[in-house]
Amino acid sequence: MATQQFETQLSIKQIDATDGVTTSNKDSVSKQIQTADLTSTKIVLATINAKYIHASLGLRYLYANLQELQSCCEIKEFVIQTRPIDIVEQILASKPTIVGFGVYIWNIVETTNVVSLLKVVAPEIKIVLGGPEVSYESEQQAIVQSADFVLTGEADLSFYQLCKDIINRTEPQQKVLKSKPVELKDLALPYEYYSDEDLKNRLLYVEASRGCPFKCEFCLSSLDTASNPFELELFLEQMEILYQRGARNFKFIDRTFNLNIKTTMQIMQFFLDKMSDELFLHFEVVPDHLPRKLKELLTQFPEGSLQFEVGIQTFNPEVQTNISRKQNNPKSKENLMWLKDNTHAHIHADLIFGLPGETFETFRDSFNELYECRPHEIQLGILKRLKGSPIIRHTEGFDLRFNPLPPFNILSTDRVDFATMQLVNRFARYWDMIGNSGRFKHSLALILSDNPFDEFLAITNWLFEKTGQTHQINLKRLYELVSQAVEALFPHKHQGVIELLALDFAASKLKGYFENLALYNTQQAAAVTQPKLMQRQQRHLQ
């Protein structure tokens, strides 16, 4: 394979406007920027990530395809917890003339606040928006009202052209601009712009293909016409370079990674040949498509090296028809159980509550069926109305009522009232804390030994009645609460559960002794805590 030179301390690469330009095409580059004074131009590409560990692949694609404008561009990534006013301060420190924001469902509120502040403090800056959250229903959004331009669709190439137009003062009159379809062969790949810090501390998002052939209506990928692969040899060359630089954590964002088995096998073999204790791969897979040759390859991956995200969403055939989802349910279950029994892959399976036609009872059945397949995690999602997704066509027929505020989650349907929707929201939150966390891997099977959904629902109701909380429960306190809930609800299991909870507690490495926990409802906390206000006043007196 071809090799590529790289710097050991690589950050976002700054190149001269003529770097890599031959004599024959220097004139064309000169014409491109003949009216642009790049020394007075600064472009900032920015987004707000959910967590620091996430690195924006989208911004790096934009940067990779900026051609001669790379020399005056930098990437700035922030996290949700950062105050908008502090984000604005850091952006303005670069003295930008153009700021491009990647906008998603998880950062729309924060990005709207940042854009609003920027337009007050520095109205002369041209603000360009892109990303799935502003690509549809654009005109009705407050953030669009504040911005100068919106690029809808895949903006990998159109952002460059818009920046050139702004710099040359030939910018378009309309605010919302539709990006032309992108041919993957025309894209410069972004992987060299992951910095050494990214490689060491963050998830690296990569894609071997774009698009999805399936039409599941809750998903924006349903708008794609096909799944299109990148040129495989070039892609693997880029993965080789990342690996040689020290990358060991790869998250593939392909919607259907195992669609083309021949390609899948080549990519998996590429990484298997490089297997080490540190290498970790994440894939989204179609659950009913695991042919024998792929299964044989998967069995060779060691423990801790693979994670599969498996979209089940529902086992209800009527609901699957409503949302145009094609899925062989028996084959999906068979493959999930095969993966659990024959590979070391960590299996993360998804269910969605609130789909058109789904009832509380049919969702319970789907949960129980999926639980029997024994995935390591069952991610319980609540249906969200992603702008542009076809799910909206069912609004009247199934009386779908969505939250008007982000994350635009379903509030009720003709089959599920608001109170039940809230109940399942709490169920999902507690399930994430207890079922998915791995903190109860010894005790959970006994706790849910008879009817998993109903038993965990009883625990959900008990926990919420006891605490009124679904967040910020201390882990020691959570062990106590689970023990007390089992004692109150399933007393015949309690002693057995306590023995297994002791193993869970030991595995957690928490300080203290398990025997000192309040494992029984009769134990009462003796300490009375001073109100915080009183504590503060006492410190001044002291």
Side-chain angles (χ1 to χ4, degrees):
M1 289 185 179
T3 59
Q4 178 174 324
Q5 297 298 316
F6 54 84
E7 301 172 13
T8 56
Q9 297 298 321
L10 187 69
S11 58
I12 298 304
K13 187 177 177 184
Q14 305 293 323
I15 64 170
D16 185 77
T18 58
D19 271 6
V21 180
T22 63
T23 304
S24 60
N25 62 16
K26 277 184 180 179
D27 288 342
S28 63
V29 172
S30 177
K31 289 177 182 178
Q32 288 176 339
I33 59 174
Q34 61 184 342
T35 60
D37 182 5
L38 294 187
T39 61
S40 62
T41 297
K42 186 59 177 290
I43 302 168
V44 169
L45 287 167
T47 197
I48 304 175
N49 298 319
K51 296 179 181 178
Y52 167 76
I53 194 172
H54 304 305
S56 174
L57 181 61
L59 294 191
R60 285 163 177 79
Y61 262 113
L62 295 175
Y63 184 86
N65 289 278
L66 272 178
Q67 301 186 43
E68 77 278 3
L69 299 184
Q70 270 192 347
S71 60
C72 55
C73 179
E74 67 176 304
I75 290 175
K76 287 182 175 287
E77 297 180 83
F78 305 94
V79 293
I80 291 291
Q81 293 76 14
T82 308
R83 297 189 308 166
I85 200 166
D86 295 329
I87 293 175
V88 168
E89 182 179 13
Q90 292 184 55
I91 289 174
L92 290 179
S94 296
K95 297 181 171 55
T97 49
I98 302 170
V99 181
F101 286 98
V103 189
Y104 303 86
I105 194 170
W106 62 80
N107 69 16
I108 178 67
V109 172
E110 293 78 8
T111 309
T112 300
N113 293 337
V114 169
V115 170
S116 298
L117 283 168
L118 267 176
K119 273 303 180 184
V120 171
V121 178
E124 71 281 2
I125 295 174
K126 296 294 184 181
I127 294 178
V128 183
L129 307 178
E133 190 57 27
V134 293
S135 287
Y136 304 92
E137 305 173 29
S138 307
E139 299 289 359
Q140 297 93 353
Q141 299 186 55
I143 191 171
V144 173
Q145 302 303 317
S146 300
D148 295 286
F149 298 101
V150 179
L151 288 171
T152 68
E154 295 174 300
D156 311 75
L157 302 179
S158 58
F159 180 72
Y160 163 70
Q161 183 60 52
L162 178 58
C163 287
K164 230 173 32 161
D165 290 341
I166 292 172
I167 294 168
N168 292 330
R169 295 180 176 83
T170 57
E171 59 195 57
Q173 295 299 309
Q174 65 269 37
K175 174 179 286 192
V176 179
L177 307 166
K178 185 176 181 180
S179 302
K180 294 180 180 179
V182 172
E183 293 288 339
L184 299 188
K185 62 181 177 59
D186 296 332
L187 286 180
L189 297 182
Y191 302 113
E192 64 182 291
Y193 304 115
Y194 281 125
S195 69
D196 288 345
E197 182 182 350
D198 295 333
L199 271 61
K200 183 178 179 181
N201 299 312
R202 307 173 84 182
L203 283 173
L204 301 188
Y205 292 92
V206 300
E207 57 176 359
S209 64
R210 280 190 184 179
C212 181
F214 302 111
K215 300 299 177 185
C216 308
E217 295 179 12
F218 55 83
C219 179
L220 276 177
S221 295
S222 63
L223 303 178
D224 299 328
T225 56
S227 177
N228 300 308
F230 285 87
E231 199 279 310
L232 184 58
E233 184 177 358
L234 178 60
F235 174 76
L236 291 180
E237 285 177 359
Q238 293 297 310
M239 296 304 99
E240 174 72 24
I241 293 167
L242 283 177
Y243 184 86
Q244 293 300 329
R245 290 180 56 204
R248 296 296 183 270
N249 201 326
F250 296 82
K251 183 167 183 177
F252 281 72
I253 62 171
D254 303 57
R255 303 305 296 177
T256 49
F257 180 73
N258 58 327
L259 184 66
N260 185 322
I261 294 301
K262 182 180 178 181
T263 300
T264 302
M265 295 278 290
Q266 289 180 263
I267 293 173
M268 298 295 282
Q269 188 65 56
F270 170 87
F271 284 106
L272 185 61
D273 292 342
K274 302 178 179 304
M275 188 49 60
S276 66
D277 291 342
E278 297 82 23
L279 187 59
F280 179 78
L281 309 168
H282 174 111
F283 301 103
E284 294 188 30
V285 299
V286 182
D288 53 9
H289 189 49
L290 290 180
R292 179 182 56 82
K293 287 185 178 180
L294 180 56
K295 286 182 175 180
E296 291 174 357
L297 187 60
L298 294 179
T299 60
Q300 300 178 49
F301 282 80
E303 188 172 2
S305 62
L306 284 182
Q307 175 165 310
F308 289 149
E309 187 168 340
V310 185
I312 296 297
Q313 320 313 354
T314 179
F315 282 125
N316 185 332
E318 177 188 345
V319 176
Q320 289 171 342
T321 299
N322 290 341
I323 60 173
S324 306
R325 182 173 180 81
K326 296 180 180 180
Q327 179 171 285
N328 184 327
N329 289 336
K331 194 66 177 178
S332 296
K333 295 175 192 177
E334 177 187 324
N335 284 339
L336 280 171
M337 288 187 279
W338 184 91
L339 287 169
K340 184 68 185 297
D341 292 336
N342 297 280
T343 76
H344 296 294
H346 182 90
I347 305 165
H348 176 116
D350 297 332
L351 286 179
I352 296 178
F353 185 61
L355 293 169
E358 193 82 87
T359 67
F360 182 78
E361 290 73 24
T362 59
F363 182 75
R364 171 202 286 141
D365 294 340
S366 287
F367 179 91
N368 285 336
E369 290 179 62
L370 185 54
Y371 185 85
E372 288 177 4
C373 297
R374 296 176 287 114
H376 298 90
E377 298 181 40
I378 299 176
Q379 183 65 46
L380 300 176
I382 305 299
L383 178 65
K384 297 176 178 63
R385 191 181 83 82
L386 302 179
K387 290 181 176 63
S389 62
I391 197 76
I392 200 68
R393 75 184 181 91
H394 295 296
T395 299
E396 292 186 9
F398 291 92
D399 193 19
L400 305 182
R401 303 191 184 191
F402 291 95
N403 190 340
L405 303 174
F408 312 112
N409 51 296
I410 190 79
L411 299 176
S412 67
T413 74
D414 63 335
R415 318 286 170 95
V416 181
D417 61 21
F418 176 71
T420 304
M421 200 69 72
Q422 287 293 91
L423 175 61
V424 175
N425 266 292
R426 288 193 290 273
F427 184 107
R429 176 57 190 158
Y430 287 132
W431 180 257
D432 205 43
M433 295 166 62
I434 298 170
N436 287 341
S437 67
R439 301 291 196 182
F440 296 81
K441 66 178 183 180
H442 295 98
S443 56
L444 188 66
L446 179 56
I447 294 172
L448 307 183
S449 58
D450 299 321
N451 186 327
F453 185 91
D454 287 345
E455 288 173 332
F456 198 81
L457 181 63
I459 290 173
T460 291
N461 290 331
W462 190 94
L463 289 173
F464 191 68
E465 184 177 346
K466 181 82 169 180
T467 68
Q469 293 177 263
T470 57
H471 294 77
Q472 298 180 330
I473 299 178
N474 176 277
L475 183 54
K476 280 187 181 180
R477 178 64 175 148
L478 189 58
Y479 282 125
E480 293 177 338
L481 288 168
V482 168
S483 177
Q484 292 173 23
V486 172
E487 181 194 22
L489 299 168
F490 320 116
H492 61 288
K493 299 182 183 181
H494 192 224
Q495 284 307 122
V497 167
I498 283 181
E499 294 173 11
L500 296 173
L501 275 176
L503 299 177
D504 290 326
F505 183 86
S508 72
K509 308 296 184 184
L510 286 169
K511 294 180 179 179
Y513 297 96
F514 179 73
E515 295 78 13
N516 293 338
L517 297 183
L519 302 172
Y520 298 88
N521 285 295
T522 53
Q523 293 174 251
Q524 299 293 326
V528 177
T529 305
Q530 274 188 321
K532 287 188 177 180
L533 181 61
M534 183 63 72
Q535 292 175 5
R536 183 172 174 175
Q537 292 168 338
Q538 286 295 327
R539 286 195 295 271
H540 283 285
L541 291 173
Q542 292 169 0

